Amino acid sequence: MNPFIQIITQPDNIAIVIMIIMVTFFTGWAFQQAFDNDKLLAAGRPVDGENDKFIDTFKPLVRIELLIAIVVMVGLTVWSIAVDAPLEEIANPTITPNPAKAPWYFLGLQELLVYFDPWLAGVVLPSLIVVGLLAIPYIDINPKGNGYYTFAERKYAIIIFSFGFLVLWLLLIVIGVFFRGPGWLWYWPWQEWDHARVVFEPTRDLTSVIGIDSRSLPGFLIGAFVVGSYLAGGMIAPYRYWKKNNPELLSQLGMVRYITIMFLFITMMSIPIKMVLRLVFLIKYIWITPWFNV
Amino acid sequence: MKSLPEISEKVRKNLIWKSIFRRDYRNSIRDRAQAVFGNVFLHLHPVQVRESAVKLRFTWGMGGITFFAFILLVITGVVLMFYYHPSIDQAYTDIKDLEFQVPFGVILRNLHRWGAHFMVIVVMIHMFRVFMTGSYKAPRQFNWGIGVFLLVLTFLLSFTGYLTPWDQLGFWAITVGTNMGAATPLLGYQGPFSEYLHITPYNDIRFALLGGAQVGGNALLRSYIWHCVAIPLISIILMFVHFWRVRKDGGISKPQK
């Protein structure tokens, strides 16, 4: 069978295909409604739902809840009749499958292991995702766009969140499920998995590019300087820009909010930056310390 | 021979019927309200809702679908528990028995497996919808936080369930997943700075998760209890708060300008 068909019809991967279809559909629907409302807002007309009347819960709401429950139940029943949940061989600690994959919703984090050490990819970054999600309502002080779809009124919030959710979370999951084979090497869906394949891809550290041993003291200092200036620059540069161009925004945000937002944003952007460094420039570590490597 | 309306009239006059439903439903405003607040399950709802709550395009029904998936998983999960022993000698053969011995065992397990995947998908889309409508903004900031914890709990519910069949897939998924715990700074034996706390593979956070230095019988028992008892209990409590706060914060969010 065509490996592509084979991989997307694997029982557990059907869920990922369903997820892709649903997320694409609902993302489209959300943005379509956002743009529709933006037009209404530009024309000074009420947005969708603004002139809602109250209606009885019984029966209109109860009816639609029952209908949705039936549709979902029928869908899951058909899925369960059509596709059997796989059961692999009995657990055997002496036989390691290659690749050994985490549950699918954590594959984005497993994918990060290519670019970060486990303490960052598996612990610090997931914790910061949760912290960041919890912080959203308190750091987003834009009062507009409350209770209706809109893009124009909250461009930055939507762009940043969509990038994090759709690209850094979901796209990395899809890559982990469909494009990663033995040795966590990249396989196109139409390529057969080759367990003997070895890719010799010499990686280097940032300072070795300019000929300095990354484990030497100068290498350590340069690495510390680069990481430090990324963090400091990410904090200071937007501050100075806004101070000059939009001081009102800064004073509304306040120092605590500003630092939280920029810290979370800098951390998030370090993921695509490290991906580019690793994939394009073959750079593994920026900073080597005796305790951890970044 | 009595006609249908006569029979129905007789049933509704019956003592047993009246004890259950208390009053006739005649579709008055009062009856429609009574149908909601007189019913322990329906009284989760307000008596009246805004039109958007009934239109799919605003909420996509995603929160409700997540809750429905949770109920389905509790029901199928409880039935599965009748056929399952959380020990490494029996777990795998119990799943084989589901396949070959238990009536409707296959579809029962399939419903639980696909329902779980489905719940993870819809809970993420629910979060996306709440973000896109700005519904986390005042006065709903706190409830967004409860929702974030429920999202994490949904992942953990699915994650702990992975190990229960005791097959290669679950075993290695849990091994990969918990190995991350070993990398925790300070508290995992492979994490930065842990040597200063004298952390070893036998006293680190991974050991606490697995009840051992590797995935074995203790890990199976722990994941089973987290999966079937502890996390569902925590989730149910947080769901109470989540649904309560939806009501108290004014129901489905409406445009505030």
Side-chain angles (χ1 to χ4, degrees):
Chain A
M1 203 185 348
N2 180 335
F4 179 65
I5 304 290
Q6 212 172 335
I7 200 166
I8 64 165
T9 53
Q10 260 180 32
D12 277 308
N13 289 352
I14 290 173
I16 318 297
V17 176
I18 291 174
M19 179 188 81
I20 295 172
I21 294 167
M22 284 180 74
V23 168
T24 309
F25 173 79
F26 284 112
T27 305
W29 207 7
F31 276 96
Q32 188 208 334
Q33 292 189 70
F35 295 142
D36 285 351
N37 275 342
D38 287 347
K39 276 184 212 136
L40 293 171
L41 286 164
R45 285 164 49 201
V47 294
D48 185 31
E50 200 167 336
N51 295 328
D52 262 6
K53 288 190 216 36
F54 276 92
I55 51 172
D56 288 320
T57 295
F58 194 84
K59 296 166 187 170
L61 180 61
V62 177
R63 184 195 295 126
I64 197 157
E65 284 174 344
L66 182 68
L67 276 173
I68 292 175
I70 291 170
V71 169
V72 171
M73 194 66 231
V74 168
L76 285 173
T77 308
V78 169
W79 187 0
S80 299
I81 291 171
V83 188
D84 281 347
L87 183 66
E88 297 189 359
E89 296 291 304
I90 190 164
N92 185 344
T94 60
I95 300 175
T96 313
N98 187 5
K101 289 189 179 181
W104 63 267
Y105 36 81
F106 289 151
L107 283 187
L109 300 173
Q110 200 176 349
E111 177 70 16
L112 289 186
L113 284 172
V114 178
Y115 314 101
F116 291 95
D117 276 358
W119 66 280
L120 275 171
V123 185
V124 173
L125 291 175
S127 310
L128 285 177
I129 293 173
V130 175
V131 170
L133 286 174
L134 289 171
I136 285 175
Y138 304 101
I139 55 182
D140 177 5
I141 55 168
N142 177 5
K144 288 182 177 168
N146 184 347
Y148 52 96
Y149 293 95
T150 170
F151 179 71
E153 289 189 341
R154 37 198 292 259
K155 283 194 198 96
Y156 296 107
I158 286 178
I159 289 171
I160 294 171
F161 185 85
S162 303
F163 179 68
F165 178 62
L166 299 173
V167 179
L168 293 182
W169 185 256
L170 294 180
L171 185 66
L172 290 192
I173 287 175
V174 171
I175 288 173
V177 173
F178 294 122
F179 297 93
R180 289 299 184 180
W184 210 255
L185 296 175
W186 185 281
Y187 283 86
W188 294 104
W190 52 87
Q191 281 179 305
E192 294 281 357
W193 282 8
D194 176 6
H195 285 264
R197 179 175 156 211
V198 178
V199 173
F200 181 67
E201 197 182 55
T203 55
R204 49 202 179 164
D205 299 328
L206 183 68
T207 53
S208 30
V209 176
I210 48 170
I212 295 170
D213 182 8
S214 56
R215 287 168 202 280
S216 66
L217 184 65
F220 171 83
L221 292 175
I222 293 172
F225 176 75
V226 171
V227 173
S229 36
Y230 172 68
L231 293 173
M235 281 286 173
I236 296 166
Y239 182 85
R240 298 187 69 164
Y241 176 79
W242 278 333
K243 192 89 189 162
K244 201 167 153 208
N245 296 300
N246 197 350
E248 206 174 315
L249 177 75
L250 269 186
S251 63
Q252 275 172 3
L253 275 176
M255 220 20 148
V256 177
R257 261 198 215 101
Y258 174 80
I259 290 172
T260 314
I261 292 173
M262 289 323 296
F263 174 70
L264 291 168
F265 183 71
I266 292 166
T267 314
M268 181 165 138
M269 292 318 288
S270 73
I271 294 169
I273 289 173
K274 274 222 76 177
M275 290 172 115
V276 169
L277 284 177
R278 177 76 174 68
L279 297 175
V280 180
F281 300 102
L282 297 178
I283 290 171
K284 186 161 170 66
Y285 291 123
I286 297 169
W287 183 26
I288 304 244
T289 79
W291 309 278
F292 58 84
N293 304 324
V294 180
Chain B
M1 195 68 187
K2 284 191 167 120
S3 70
L4 215 57
E6 277 175 336
I7 296 174
S8 128
E9 185 68 22
K10 204 164 167 70
V11 169
R12 279 192 273 120
K13 287 259 155 55
N14 182 285
L15 213 62
I16 299 173
W17 178 275
K18 278 174 140 180
S19 77
I20 299 172
F21 294 101
R22 299 201 149 182
R23 40 183 287 136
D24 277 350
Y25 182 81
R26 304 222 181 269
N27 206 13
S28 64
I29 293 171
R30 200 185 142 89
D31 282 349
R32 292 197 294 268
Q34 177 72 27
V36 174
F37 61 67
N39 181 307
V40 67
F41 302 107
L42 291 183
H43 94 287
L44 191 63
H45 302 101
V47 167
Q48 289 198 315
V49 289
R50 294 178 336 98
E51 283 170 311
S52 289
V54 184
K55 288 174 185 157
L56 274 181
R57 67 168 178 267
F58 188 71
T59 68
W60 310 338
M62 279 298 150
I65 293 175
T66 308
F67 184 47
F68 179 77
F70 179 79
I71 294 169
L72 173 77
L73 290 167
V74 168
I75 293 170
T76 52
V78 167
V79 182
L80 283 168
M81 284 170 81
F82 285 122
Y83 298 104
Y84 180 80
H85 304 78
S87 81
I88 54 178
D89 295 327
Q90 283 169 283
Y92 187 76
T93 48
D94 284 343
I95 308 296
K96 283 282 182 203
D97 275 352
L98 275 176
E99 204 173 322
F100 297 111
Q101 299 294 329
V102 178
F104 301 106
V106 174
I107 199 167
L108 182 65
R109 176 161 176 259
N110 290 350
L111 268 176
H112 199 73
R113 174 78 153 248
W114 306 141
H117 284 337
F118 182 72
M119 182 172 167
V120 172
I121 296 169
V122 290
V123 77
M124 293 193 301
I125 297 177
H126 174 55
M127 181 191 70
F128 182 63
R129 189 290 286 178
V130 171
F131 184 89
M132 291 301 287
T133 54
S135 301
Y136 57 85
K137 299 189 178 198
R140 295 179 178 79
Q141 303 101 319
F142 177 72
N143 216 13
W144 165 270
I146 299 289
V148 171
F149 283 111
L150 281 167
L151 172 81
V152 174
L153 287 170
T154 306
F155 290 142
L156 292 180
L157 271 172
S158 173
F159 183 66
T160 49
Y162 245 71
L163 189 59
T164 47
W166 198 248
D167 67 344
Q168 280 288 71
L169 181 79
F171 182 90
W172 289 101
I174 298 299
T175 302
V176 171
T178 50
N179 273 345
M180 293 294 104
T184 310
L186 292 171
L187 298 176
Y189 80 96
Q190 290 171 330
F193 307 117
S194 62
E195 63 266 30
Y196 302 117
L197 294 180
H198 304 290
I199 297 290
T200 70
Y202 299 95
N203 65 2
D204 72 339
I205 195 165
R206 181 164 158 277
F207 191 94
L209 291 172
L210 295 177
Q214 49 187 306
V215 180
N218 284 349
L220 180 58
L221 185 64
R222 281 186 191 200
S223 73
Y224 175 76
I225 292 170
W226 279 113
H227 184 69
C228 301
V229 185
I231 304 178
L233 274 179
I234 302 168
S235 303
I236 287 168
I237 292 169
L238 287 186
M239 273 183 233
F240 280 152
V241 181
H242 199 60
F243 300 159
W244 172 257
R245 284 301 287 248
V246 170
R247 287 285 301 273
K248 293 295 142 182
D249 294 339
I252 302 292
S253 61
K254 68 171 180 218
Q256 289 173 4
K257 291 203 285 188

